[in-house]
Amino acid sequence: MLPNNVRLKEVGPRDGLQNEKALIDTADKVALVNQLSETGLDYIEVTSFVHPKWIPQLADAVDVLTQIDRKPGVTYAALVPNMKGLARALEANVDEVSVFMSASEGHNRENINKSIAETFPVLREVVEAAKAAGKTVRGYVSTVIACPYDGYTKPEQVKYVADHLFEMGVDEISLGDTIGVAVPPQVETLLDELMKHYAPEKLAMHFHDTHGTALANIVASLPYGITTFDSAIGGLGGCPYAKGASGNVATEDVLYLLHSMGIETGVNLDQMMKASQFMEQKINRQLTSKQMAIFRGEQS
């Protein structure tokens, strides 16, 4: 019932750093991505081309993407909200474009300032232009389990949004438990619905760890054939439009889980820990991953 291999998509440099209060130097962001490139990861979400007014932490997106040492076989992706952002991303030679929206109306309006219906044509323009430029496109769908404004999200609503994104030409959809409230039965209910319509290789899971259930949710997803998971170095992240949402599931904790289960990832945990130690020094606070706590001697 379990896969032999799982692919981790590292989102820390974007989804993680965009939530840090302190601005990280461009050189340190470049160094982080370069270290991550040496871990065996084959996918790194480097930055975001959302207007700096909204995400000032990632205002140096072009500089970071153009200064990193690109390792063959690694996809360097970026979040793109609109055509202006896409133009900058293409200028910086991004490998993959990520578009984003929510499954719930309340979060979509807070995050994008548009209704779901108003968001579709904006994303379609970006997706079609990115594909015309020869780029693959990923679609993030937030609040697939619950919304801080609307409450529980019905699986049928997630499918409605996913249908539109796939019809636009998106290659893969990442399903986000943005506020980190999901438990395995809810994940199973969602996947029971989606697996009726989509191949598992078209979907990825993106769990936040607000209540400490992210690893359990990953385990619950594996029997469905899901083999792609988003994670962030050290458990960085959160959501600026979802109060109380903690960071993403930590990459090093996912690595420990999967490797202990006999599932290969191609990622070196020791190298990942070195990158986490580097990041902890640069943000001047302790990262929340269990593996970093063990490294610091906080747990026996």
Side-chain angles (χ1 to χ4, degrees):
M1 295 291 291
L2 298 178
N4 294 320
N5 297 276
V6 158
R7 186 184 191 193
L8 295 187
K9 295 195 169 183
E10 174 60 50
V11 300
R14 191 280 301 177
D15 197 14
L17 296 186
Q18 74 175 17
N19 285 282
E20 289 299 309
K21 293 181 180 179
L23 297 181
I24 309 301
D25 289 342
T26 299
D28 291 334
K29 293 176 186 174
V30 170
L32 172 62
V33 174
N34 289 345
Q35 289 190 43
L36 292 171
S37 296
E38 297 300 321
T39 63
L41 288 163
D42 67 0
Y43 187 103
I44 303 170
E45 191 179 52
V46 176
T47 189
S48 167
F49 288 90
V50 172
H51 195 285
K53 174 183 176 181
W54 304 112
I55 309 289
Q57 296 90 336
L58 302 180
D60 55 357
V62 171
D63 291 335
V64 174
L65 257 180
T66 53
Q67 291 177 27
I68 58 174
D69 298 327
R70 299 194 180 215
K71 187 171 183 177
V74 179
T75 296
Y76 297 96
L79 200 70
V80 173
N82 51 38
M83 291 299 290
K84 287 184 178 179
L86 178 62
R88 295 175 62 221
L90 294 177
E91 172 192 343
N93 194 29
V94 70
D95 292 330
E96 181 170 279
V97 169
S98 298
V99 296
F100 59 97
M101 64 178 299
S102 304
S104 59
E105 285 286 352
H107 188 263
N108 203 74
R109 288 184 181 277
E110 287 292 324
N111 195 27
I112 303 178
N113 200 31
K114 289 181 175 62
S115 69
I116 287 176
E118 291 167 338
T119 303
F120 286 141
V122 176
L123 297 193
R124 177 180 294 278
E125 188 177 23
V126 174
V127 172
E128 291 180 349
K131 300 288 280 191
K135 307 298 181 180
T136 54
V137 181
R138 187 179 213 221
Y140 281 105
V141 180
S142 301
T143 60
V144 300
I145 297 294
C147 170
Y149 309 99
D150 300 345
Y152 176 69
T153 304
K154 293 181 179 180
E156 293 79 10
Q157 177 64 17
V158 179
K159 178 185 176 295
Y160 168 75
V161 172
D163 281 346
H164 279 75
L165 291 174
F166 279 132
E167 189 272 329
M168 292 175 198
V170 163
D171 297 286
E172 176 189 72
I173 289 178
S174 173
L175 301 166
D177 175 27
T178 310
I179 55 176
V181 298
V183 293
Q186 293 173 315
V187 174
E188 292 163 357
T189 297
L190 174 63
L191 291 177
D192 282 339
E193 172 63 26
L194 298 184
M195 289 298 104
K196 299 174 187 176
H197 309 282
Y198 314 126
E201 58 267 22
K202 301 292 284 186
L203 301 175
M205 306 304 291
H206 183 117
F207 293 115
H208 287 227
D209 204 29
T210 308
H211 293 277
T213 56
L215 292 178
N217 292 331
I218 288 175
V219 174
S221 304
L222 292 171
Y224 288 87
I226 303 293
T227 57
T228 302
F229 296 91
D230 298 349
S231 61
I233 181 173
L236 288 170
C239 179
Y241 300 99
K243 291 183 179 180
S246 67
N248 294 276
V249 65
T251 302
E252 53 266 43
D253 292 345
V254 179
L255 289 174
Y256 176 83
L257 170 74
L258 295 175
H259 294 174
S260 298
M261 294 174 68
I263 299 173
E264 297 296 325
T265 64
V267 182
N268 185 292
L269 177 55
D270 290 337
Q271 289 293 109
M272 182 60 65
M273 291 298 293
K274 292 178 181 178
S276 294
Q277 293 166 45
F278 169 81
M279 199 67 255
E280 193 168 80
Q281 294 170 359
K282 296 304 178 182
I283 63 175
N284 197 32
R285 67 173 180 83
Q286 292 185 347
L287 294 172
T288 60
S289 74
K290 300 296 188 294
Q291 297 307 305
M292 280 299 292
I294 292 169
F295 172 80
R296 291 190 299 264
E298 293 176 5
Q299 297 181 1
S300 60

